[in-house]
């Protein structure tokens, strides 16, 4: 295995090295995969056949779980998807007997060459992705396959072109792609979670169970036999979403346009537009700006344009740039209210038996001061 590092410099996972070899020419193929799980196992076979430009008649493989569900000397049970993959490429699978490494002696020798000639040389390199590692493996394999075999005097590349290349069976027209079906639940936010990542579906499927067909590169979402979504598979935590999956209200919220909001307000009236600009100018956060626009739009639906225009004018006059104040004016029908006094008018004084006059008040204050002086 070879460690793959993340951006923080820590080991993200250990890549597994797949090795295959052709029997006559000893031509070696190798690549790195994320794990030894079924999808990676089949993907390595597919890439190996494509690198060779054809398929052999027989594959002799290890007894790993992704290939053989039950090892047996005479009648081993082959994993169903592995059998399907073999039928697609016209290949017979004959697993090696358990604890009999000589059944695949060339493969064992090829693994040793890959370890000594390639993995040992790159042991101090830090790889951050499988793509980067596979590029190094590919270039290193070209060197290994081009090196002359001592006893034969020819390289594995030369033997491949001489012995194996012309007898390999042609590849099928369509590439095999393994898939797995998963039943997953869609949340209230119209997303389902797979491998710590959220994927969107049309909002009408929220809170429902959907069938997800997972391949090495894609995720297809089905419900009642109809395909609703297709996503590129991404193994990084995060969210994959299409705008077309949003409900109308969410789409309008996410795609809110300030200039468009000004245009809509101007169609109601100049005072509404002036109020909106003044209210929006008080904040730099887009969520607050959206709320001002939405509040005025809701009031435009509930009340007439004329009343909203007068209420905004009244709010501007009083210096109240809150949409809640405009709503209160409309709700209480106060958008036409006028001031009842000016700066020169004095409020009327209430007359009551228990209220002292100004003279009485001054007299009490004077006596209090005098009494205080006498006491001193």
């Amino acid at each position: 295995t070879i460690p793959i590092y993340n951006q923080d410099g820590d080991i993200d996972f250990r890549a597994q090295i797949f090795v295959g070899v052709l029997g006559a020419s000893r031509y070696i193929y190798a690549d790195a995969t994320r794990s030894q799980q079924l999808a990676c196992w089949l993907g390595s076979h597919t890439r190996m056949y494509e690198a060779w430009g054809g398929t052999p008649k027989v594959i002799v493989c290890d007894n790993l779980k992704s290939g053989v569900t039950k090892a047996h000397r005479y009648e081993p049970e082959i994993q169903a998807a592995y059998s399907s993959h073999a039928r697609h490429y016209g290949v017979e699978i004959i697993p090696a007997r358990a604890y009999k490494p000589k059944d695949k002696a060339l493969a064992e020798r090829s693994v040793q060459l890959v370890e000594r000639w390639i993995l040992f040389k790159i042991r101090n390199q830090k790889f951050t992705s499988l793509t980067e590692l596979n590029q190094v493996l590919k270039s290193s394999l070209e060197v290994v396959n081009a090196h002359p075999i001592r006893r034969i005097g020819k390289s594995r590349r030369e033997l491949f072109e001489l012995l194996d290349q012309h007898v390999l069976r042609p590849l099928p027209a369509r590439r095999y792609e393994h898939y797995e079906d998963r039943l997953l639940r869609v949340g209230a936010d119209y997303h389902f979670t797979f491998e710590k990542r959220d994927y969107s579906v049309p909002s009408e499927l929220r809170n429902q169970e959907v069938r997800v067909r997972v391949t090495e590169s894609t995720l297809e979402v089905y419900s009642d036999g109809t395909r609703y979504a297709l996503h590129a598979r991404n193994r990084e935590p995060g969210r994959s979403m299409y705008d077309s999956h949003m409900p109308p209200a969410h789409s309008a919220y996410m795609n809110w346009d300030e200039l468009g909001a000004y245009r809509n307000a101007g169609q109601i009236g100049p005072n509404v537009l002036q109020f909106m600009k003044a209210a929006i100018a008080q904040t730099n956060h887009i969520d607050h700006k959206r709320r001002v626009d939405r509040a005025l739009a809701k009031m435009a639906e509930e009340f007439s344009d004329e009343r909203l225009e007068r209420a905004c004018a009244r709010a501007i006059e009083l210096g109240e740039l809150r949409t809640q104040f405009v709503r209160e004016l409309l709700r209480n029908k106060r958008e036409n209210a006028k001031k009842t006094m000016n700066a020169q008018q004095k409020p009327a004084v209430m007359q009551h038996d228990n209220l002292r006059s100004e003279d009485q008040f001054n007299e009490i204050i004077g006596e209090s001061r005098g009494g205080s002086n006498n006491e001193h």
Side-chain angles (χ1 to χ4, degrees):
T1 61
I2 295 180
I4 303 296
Y5 295 86
N6 57 28
Q7 295 179 350
D8 297 328
D10 301 324
I11 295 178
D12 190 11
F13 63 94
R14 303 193 71 88
Q16 310 287 313
I17 307 302
F18 171 93
V19 178
V21 58
L22 283 168
S25 63
R26 308 181 192 181
Y27 190 71
I28 300 174
Y29 172 83
D31 72 5
T33 62
R34 193 176 186 89
S35 68
Q36 292 186 19
Q37 294 181 358
L38 182 61
C40 296
W41 172 251
L42 298 181
S44 290
H45 279 70
T46 299
R47 292 186 292 272
M48 178 176 66
Y49 298 152
E50 292 173 350
W52 291 343
T55 60
K57 294 181 180 180
V58 176
I59 285 287
V60 180
C61 67
D62 281 328
N63 284 277
L64 77 167
K65 291 293 184 181
S66 295
V68 181
T69 56
K70 185 177 180 181
H72 193 274
R73 184 181 182 91
Y74 303 108
E75 296 179 351
E77 294 182 7
I78 309 301
Q79 214 280 345
Y82 194 22
S83 295
S84 174
H85 183 276
R87 287 193 300 271
H88 182 81
Y89 286 100
V91 175
E92 289 292 333
I93 300 173
I94 303 178
R97 293 171 295 173
Y99 307 108
K100 298 292 183 180
K102 289 184 178 180
D103 286 359
K104 48 180 176 53
L106 282 178
E108 298 290 346
R109 175 60 176 163
S110 299
V111 169
Q112 188 181 64
L113 288 175
V114 169
E115 288 178 342
R116 291 179 179 179
W117 288 32
I118 300 177
L119 302 188
F120 182 77
K121 291 181 179 180
I122 64 175
R123 67 189 185 282
N124 294 324
Q125 294 186 37
K126 282 194 171 184
F127 299 97
T128 57
S129 69
L130 283 175
T131 302
E132 181 185 1
L133 174 56
N134 278 317
Q135 288 174 349
V136 173
L137 286 177
K138 184 178 179 180
S139 59
S140 300
L141 275 174
E142 291 176 357
V143 175
V144 173
N145 286 322
H147 191 273
I149 300 174
R150 184 182 305 171
R151 289 177 300 173
I152 300 176
K154 292 183 180 294
S155 68
R156 288 173 173 80
R157 162 63 69 177
E158 292 172 320
L159 292 175
F160 169 72
E161 295 172 352
L162 181 65
L163 301 174
D164 284 328
Q165 191 171 39
H166 65 281
V167 296
L168 290 173
R169 297 178 177 183
L171 293 170
R174 181 177 57 85
R175 189 188 198 197
Y176 181 87
E177 191 166 20
H178 170 67
Y179 69 87
E180 300 176 27
D181 278 344
R182 303 286 186 91
L183 286 177
L184 299 174
R185 187 126 191 121
V186 179
D189 61 348
Y190 55 91
H191 283 73
F192 66 88
T193 303
F194 180 75
E195 293 180 335
K196 298 182 180 181
R197 190 173 184 87
D198 295 334
Y199 296 89
S200 68
V201 297
S203 57
E204 58 265 26
L205 295 177
R206 68 181 77 189
N207 299 320
Q208 296 184 27
E209 197 171 53
V210 296
R211 183 168 61 88
V212 182
R213 175 171 290 185
V214 182
T215 70
E216 192 173 2
S217 57
T218 63
L219 285 88
E220 296 179 82
V221 182
Y222 290 86
S223 180
D224 296 329
T226 302
R227 192 178 81 170
Y228 282 91
L230 173 64
H231 288 277
R233 186 173 178 177
N234 191 329
R235 291 176 173 83
E236 297 295 328
R239 174 165 289 199
S240 297
M241 183 175 67
Y242 290 112
D243 289 347
S244 59
H245 292 165
M246 296 181 186
H250 191 185
S251 179
Y253 182 83
M254 294 299 293
N255 299 313
W256 181 79
D257 175 37
E258 186 171 341
L259 294 179
Y262 290 154
R263 284 194 298 270
N264 295 335
Q267 293 175 358
I268 299 174
N271 290 320
V272 177
L273 175 59
Q274 183 180 352
F275 177 86
M276 176 181 284
K277 287 183 176 181
I280 284 179
Q282 294 183 123
T283 179
N284 292 323
H285 201 286
I286 190 169
D287 280 348
H288 294 162
K289 296 179 180 181
R290 288 192 189 109
R291 291 179 182 182
V292 171
D293 179 30
R294 186 57 187 157
L296 290 172
K298 289 283 288 183
M299 285 185 274
E301 294 174 1
E302 297 178 29
F303 307 99
S304 66
D305 292 353
E306 293 77 9
R307 290 191 62 194
L308 180 57
E309 175 74 0
R310 291 196 296 269
C312 287
R314 179 70 173 149
I316 294 170
E317 179 186 358
L318 298 175
E320 287 284 353
L321 300 178
R322 296 179 296 112
T323 56
Q324 185 61 30
F325 181 78
V326 176
R327 176 173 287 278
E328 290 298 325
L329 290 177
L330 293 168
R331 184 181 297 166
N332 298 319
K333 299 181 179 180
R334 299 281 296 175
E335 67 271 16
N336 293 322
K338 300 295 182 183
K339 293 182 179 179
T340 58
M341 71 175 196
N342 53 39
Q344 286 74 29
Q345 291 177 324
K346 291 184 179 180
V349 178
M350 181 184 296
Q351 300 297 326
H352 194 276
D353 294 340
N354 294 331
L355 293 178
R356 292 185 174 90
S357 65
E358 184 177 355
D359 295 337
Q360 291 174 320
F361 181 78
N362 290 333
E363 182 180 350
I364 292 172
I365 293 297
E367 291 177 356
S368 174
R369 290 176 177 173
S372 176
N373 292 332
N374 292 333
E375 289 177 0
H376 282 83

